[in-house]
Amino acid sequence: MWLLFKLINIFWLLASTYFWVTALLPIGPLLVMVNVAMIICLGMLSLDIRLNRQVGLTFLFITLITIWFCYIDGIAMGITTLLMYMPAIYIMVLPAAYQKDLLDFTTKWYAILLIPGLFLYGITQFVNLPSLGEFVHPNYPPYLNYVLYIKTTFDYGHLERFNSFFLEPGHQALLSTFLLMANRYRFMKCKWLWILGISIILSFSLAGYLLALLGFILLKIRSVIQVVVSAILLTVLVIAVQNFSGGNNALNDMIISRLERDESSGIKGNNRFAGNTDFVYQRSVESGEALTGVKERTNMELIAGAGYKIYIINYGYIGTLLALFIYLSMIPSKPDYRYTISFLIILILCFLQRAYPAWYSWLFPYVIGIYLAKAEKEPDENESAQPADLSTNQ
């Protein structure tokens, strides 16, 4: 049953991040099946389930945000929200050894699934391979379907961005970044992290680059000398990219140039909002509607984007704070403060441009990361299970 739980875990991790196989399926039935299956697996395992204050607080805030979403968007949306957050609790109650095994399994198999796509991505830059036809999603350009890689037909002007089997390169880059954070960038201990790092680089995702780099700095840079050396190396790299081929290269056009100042958006890469989003957001702030979310939903098709303004327009400051309280309530007692605060900073920065706090690709790496950091900081022999204990529950 433990192996089944791990398989369900990685399935939902991918599905919640817009894995193409499940992208067109109704989310309601998927959520019900995932939650029921996880609960059954946990119920059939002989585990010392951890029910503590953090679990109670987290369930309380999940209940509150469920009630709030019912009020804002109806009962169906409220139940969907409840089922999206609940798997985080199933991870919280696991013993530390099971959490560690779950992270290792997920990281390994996620990386293995990325490898065929990386090869196909490289080959199709130069050769037109036969595909299984087109995969079409109403919100995206058509993709050529290679199963473990869907090749976009969108013209980026240079190299294509690697999105693997997800609908967006940014989805892939952020999931890979969060798993790097959960594994604390321990490339020497886990060889699979190199695959994640490569996938982020080839995504040409500005958010992925910045968050992965910032996460590394927050966790690994501990002295002034390291800061200075890192700043020098980064400056040299930026200059080299800007001057390679006269600046006419993918990294410069898709990453470096997007960090230049722009009068309308601050920097050119700050383009997460479109249509009338800025106008509606500003109006909601001035009228006070931003507190609870915009009530009048006519012409909402003119609101486009994925960042914090969209979230506040839909759910208000109250919904935003409830989501933050869920993440704060998950923090275990006596945590590794540096690691936990660093992960929270990364998630908050991600929220600014891609506000999906209920996604399992946020919840799983965060929960398992902060709990394993605590377990490593203060190992508890009573919670630790031997490898043999895990094997009996396969």
Side-chain angles (χ1 to χ4, degrees):
M1 294 305 291
W2 176 237
L3 176 59
L4 179 58
F5 184 91
K6 291 190 290 186
L7 292 172
I8 296 168
N9 178 82
I10 195 169
F11 165 79
W12 185 236
L13 190 68
L14 302 182
S16 69
T17 318
Y18 276 56
F19 179 34
W20 76 266
V21 174
T22 58
L24 295 176
L25 298 178
I27 190 172
L30 273 179
L31 277 167
V32 171
M33 289 188 293
V34 166
N35 277 269
V36 170
M38 282 186 162
I39 292 172
I40 291 174
C41 287
L42 290 178
M44 296 183 68
L45 291 170
S46 301
L47 298 181
D48 182 18
I49 297 296
R50 301 186 297 190
L51 296 176
N52 50 34
R53 183 172 63 89
Q54 283 72 37
V55 173
L57 278 175
T58 301
F59 184 74
L60 171 63
F61 284 116
I62 290 176
T63 302
L64 290 176
I65 202 171
T66 298
I67 294 170
W68 180 248
F69 276 47
C70 284
Y71 169 71
I72 293 294
D73 261 347
I75 294 177
M77 185 61 187
I79 294 174
T80 297
T81 302
L82 171 68
L83 295 177
M84 289 185 75
Y85 278 109
M86 282 303 295
I89 289 184
Y90 312 149
I91 306 303
M92 290 174 67
V93 302
L94 289 172
Y98 282 81
Q99 291 175 334
K100 179 65 168 62
D101 185 57
L102 184 59
L103 177 61
D104 291 345
F105 179 89
T106 302
T107 303
K108 173 184 175 180
W109 284 102
Y110 173 61
I112 289 174
L113 290 172
L114 287 176
I115 291 174
L118 286 168
F119 278 110
L120 287 166
Y121 166 82
I123 294 171
T124 55
Q125 300 304 304
F126 309 100
V127 179
N128 291 324
L129 294 178
S131 69
L132 296 181
E134 287 191 345
F135 169 73
V136 180
H137 190 281
N139 298 329
Y140 297 90
Y143 301 87
L144 295 179
N145 191 347
Y146 296 99
V147 184
L148 290 180
Y149 171 55
I150 52 175
K151 177 183 172 69
T152 182
T153 56
F154 182 81
D155 183 10
Y156 288 107
H158 285 281
L159 287 174
E160 292 170 13
R161 299 172 61 191
F162 178 63
N163 53 296
S164 184
F165 33 70
F166 300 113
L167 298 188
E168 286 191 30
H171 294 168
Q172 178 272 121
L174 290 177
L175 174 55
S176 297
T177 295
F178 294 157
L179 285 175
L180 283 180
M181 284 289 295
N183 285 277
R184 283 172 278 177
Y185 292 86
R186 291 174 171 173
F187 290 92
M188 296 300 105
K189 289 187 175 182
C190 180
K191 61 185 178 182
W192 302 110
L193 298 186
W194 293 101
I195 303 298
L196 274 58
I198 292 170
S199 73
I200 294 170
I201 292 171
L202 294 178
S203 73
F204 294 102
S205 166
L206 178 59
Y209 278 33
L210 293 179
L211 293 179
L213 177 62
L214 179 60
F216 181 84
I217 291 172
L218 289 173
L219 296 186
K220 297 298 184 180
I221 304 300
R222 296 177 178 271
S223 69
V224 175
I225 294 177
Q226 288 178 322
V227 171
V228 172
V229 171
S230 298
I232 292 173
L233 291 175
L234 186 58
T235 302
V236 170
L237 177 61
V238 169
I239 293 173
V241 169
Q242 288 179 320
N243 287 276
F244 181 74
S245 296
N248 185 27
N249 61 78
L251 272 176
N252 188 49
D253 284 353
M254 290 194 270
I255 302 297
I256 304 300
S257 66
R258 294 181 66 202
L259 293 171
E260 296 175 359
R261 176 161 181 78
D262 183 85
E263 291 185 3
S264 62
S265 59
I267 60 173
K268 288 183 180 178
N270 185 22
N271 59 349
R272 298 305 299 171
F273 310 106
N276 290 339
T277 302
D278 287 326
F279 171 76
V280 174
Y281 174 76
Q282 189 60 36
R283 186 183 64 186
S284 71
V285 172
E286 294 172 354
S287 67
E289 281 188 294
L291 178 64
T292 58
V294 176
K295 296 289 192 301
E296 180 56 53
R297 295 302 179 93
T298 58
N299 295 324
M300 288 299 282
E301 68 274 6
L302 300 177
I303 309 300
Y308 73 97
K309 292 180 182 179
I310 304 293
Y311 198 89
I312 291 173
I313 287 171
N314 286 323
Y315 312 117
Y317 293 138
I318 292 177
T320 304
L321 285 174
L322 286 173
L324 175 61
F325 289 152
I326 288 174
Y327 279 84
L328 292 174
S329 68
M330 292 172 181
I331 299 175
S333 60
K334 299 179 181 179
D336 182 325
Y337 285 104
R338 174 180 175 135
Y339 176 81
T340 301
I341 292 172
S342 296
F343 213 143
L344 273 174
I345 290 172
I346 294 300
L347 291 175
I348 290 170
L349 291 175
C350 183
F351 181 87
L352 296 179
Q353 57 85 44
R354 196 179 289 270
Y356 303 131
W359 279 19
Y360 197 52
S361 52
W362 289 40
L363 294 165
F364 170 75
Y366 172 72
V367 169
I368 210 158
I370 61 177
Y371 271 81
L372 286 177
K374 168 190 165 63
E376 186 171 306
K377 180 182 177 183
E378 297 180 358
D380 186 343
E381 294 182 359
N382 293 326
E383 285 188 338
S384 298
Q386 299 299 319
D389 295 331
L390 298 179
S391 64
T392 58
N393 287 309
Q394 296 293 319

